[in-house]
Each structure stands twice: as C-alpha cells, then as structure tokens.
Amino acid sequence: DGGITQSPKYLFRKEGQNVTLSCEQNLNHDAMYWYRQDPGQGLRLIYYSQIVNDFQKGDIAEGYSVSREKKESFPLTVTSAQKNPTAFYLCASSKTGGYGYTFGSGTRLTVV
Amino acid sequence: AQTVTQSQPEMSVQEAETVTLSCTYDTSENNYYLFWYKQPPSRQMILVIRQEAYKQQNATENRFSVNFQKAAKSFSLKISDSQLGDTAMYFCAFMNDAGANSKLTFGKGITLSVRP
C-alpha cells in the first residue's frame, strides 16, 4: 500500500545537537512538506519542495534545513540554532490538482 | 497572505446529536480549495472533506457535510449522528491553487469531545 513513513516516532535531542527526521513516500507525489505542531498553534509550515533538488522556506524555517535528492525522500534537520525544537513534526505529500495532503504519522521531538 | 480562523477552541456534543464546527478564511483569490482534517488521539491527520470554491454545491461525505458560504468566506463542518470515534481535533485548511505552488494554510484547530 502507498503511504508516507516518518521515523523515528519519538526522538530525544540534547542541547546543541543536530537531529534529522526522516520522511519517505511511495505515492509518486511531486510535492512534499514539513509542518510543526505546537499546542494551540495549529500546523505551521517549515519547508516545502515541489520538485527534486528544489525547496522553499515556509513560515518558520529558521533553525531548520532540508534536502530533496530523491522524489521519495524529504528529510528535515533540526539544527542547534532552533531555540525551541520540542514539538510534534508532520511530513506530508501531495499531487497537483487541489486534492490536499497525505500525512505521515509524525515524529515527537523532545529536547533533554 | 491567506489566513484561516477557527474561533472556538473546544466543543462538546452528546453521542448521536449533531454539531457544527466553524471556520472563516481570508483571501483575495477567486478559485481555491477548502478542507477539514481530523486528528484523533493517535495524532494521524485524516482528510474528512474537501470543497472546491468554484462549485456551489456543498460537499458531503457520509455523516459529514459542509456549509460553504463563499461571499461570507465561511466554511463550517456539520457532523451528524455524532459517534465516540469522532472525538478528535479538527483543522480547517485553505489551499490557494492547484498548481505547483499550492500549499495548505491551517487554522489553529478545535478540540471536539463526544460524550457517551
């Protein structure tokens, strides 16, 4: 079955460390997205990519980086520059045509 | 920039009754798409219903229907015959176009509790 896989489900990071969240899809979707979810804040867009080797900053890109070397993969790195990284991170993909997104199951990142 | 507003942070409904969740949005576009997503305690985001702005007919999916008022920029979700499994957070979302630069803008969500 096609879908989006995010890993790991839970991730703990020490202060000053970079961590990378994985997102893989086998839906053959062109576009992929990373959102951050905090209580009372809804979902806020971090980065998105419409095609391989190209990506754009979203509303809260500071302290994050991404790559899109393959159509299927869109990893997110949370750098030490991100001041408050503890949050729930959702990856999504979409095809063109206004059909909305298919979401992964999310990664809960906690700074310890 | 588009904005999506969900003004009610929480709602509660008795099982088998009907509940309506409100959403308003702001845009200068004429053609766009609106969505309601459900996030149960598992935190998996699930698409509930989709509306194309150029279609006057309100979308329906089984017990879920919308009241789309384009002039008022309002997009409410009605859940009929509420079930315990409807307990979740519900997000209203807006997509400005269907092309290469499309992306969703979400409201802050509403927590719905269905009481037995």
Side-chain angles (χ1 to χ4, degrees):
Chain A
D1 287 340
I4 298 183
T5 301
Q6 286 188 245
S7 62
K9 191 173 180 68
Y10 299 97
L11 186 58
F12 297 89
R13 190 194 94 171
K14 292 183 179 179
E15 298 254 3
Q17 280 185 337
N18 294 352
V19 291
T20 297
L21 283 60
S22 171
C23 179
E24 304 274 338
Q25 56 102 355
N26 60 3
L27 298 165
N28 200 32
H29 286 171
D30 288 318
M32 297 187 74
Y33 310 82
W34 275 104
Y35 283 83
R36 170 178 171 145
Q37 185 177 12
D38 297 282
Q41 294 292 324
L43 277 69
R44 293 181 290 168
L45 182 63
I46 304 172
Y47 268 99
Y48 64 105
S49 168
Q50 304 289 344
I51 56 173
V52 175
N53 293 322
D54 189 39
F55 47 83
Q56 287 76 42
K57 293 181 179 180
D59 301 318
I60 56 165
E62 185 175 353
Y64 300 98
S65 66
V66 294
S67 63
R68 187 89 185 274
E69 297 177 359
K70 300 185 301 181
K71 186 175 184 178
E72 301 79 17
S73 179
F74 192 42
L76 173 74
T77 296
V78 184
T79 75
S80 57
Q82 171 48 238
K83 300 304 180 188
N84 185 21
T86 294
F88 187 65
Y89 291 86
L90 282 162
C91 179
S93 70
S94 71
K95 56 183 180 179
T96 56
Y99 295 102
Y101 295 171
T102 300
F103 282 88
S105 57
T107 294
R108 173 69 183 176
L109 173 63
T110 303
V111 173
V112 297
Chain B
Q2 289 81 16
T3 58
V4 178
T5 301
Q6 295 179 253
S7 57
Q8 310 152 301
E10 296 182 6
M11 289 191 73
S12 179
V13 64
Q14 194 73 33
E15 192 175 9
E17 293 187 346
T18 295
V19 63
T20 298
L21 311 182
S22 301
C23 173
T24 59
Y25 58 94
D26 187 25
T27 184
S28 58
E29 303 290 332
N30 188 52
N31 193 25
Y32 48 87
Y33 302 83
L34 295 162
F35 304 84
W36 278 96
Y37 279 87
K38 169 184 177 180
Q39 188 181 43
S42 67
R43 306 200 76 172
Q44 177 68 54
M45 293 284 283
I46 302 164
L47 176 63
V48 175
I49 202 162
R50 169 183 176 266
Q51 175 78 43
E52 300 173 15
Y54 63 87
K55 288 188 176 179
Q56 292 185 342
Q57 186 174 6
N58 289 325
T60 62
E61 288 288 343
N62 301 314
R63 298 183 294 107
F64 299 87
S65 61
V66 298
N67 183 5
F68 173 48
Q69 302 290 328
K70 192 172 183 178
K73 297 179 182 176
S74 171
F75 184 61
S76 60
L77 175 69
K78 185 172 81 171
I79 306 174
S80 303
D81 185 25
S82 297
Q83 300 176 1
L84 296 178
D86 295 333
T87 292
M89 194 152 199
Y90 288 81
F91 291 94
C92 179
F94 172 98
M95 179 178 280
N96 57 330
D97 64 59
N101 289 319
S102 63
K103 52 188 183 293
L104 281 172
T105 299
F106 289 86
K108 292 188 176 182
I110 177 171
T111 300
L112 176 67
S113 300
V114 180
R115 306 185 305 272

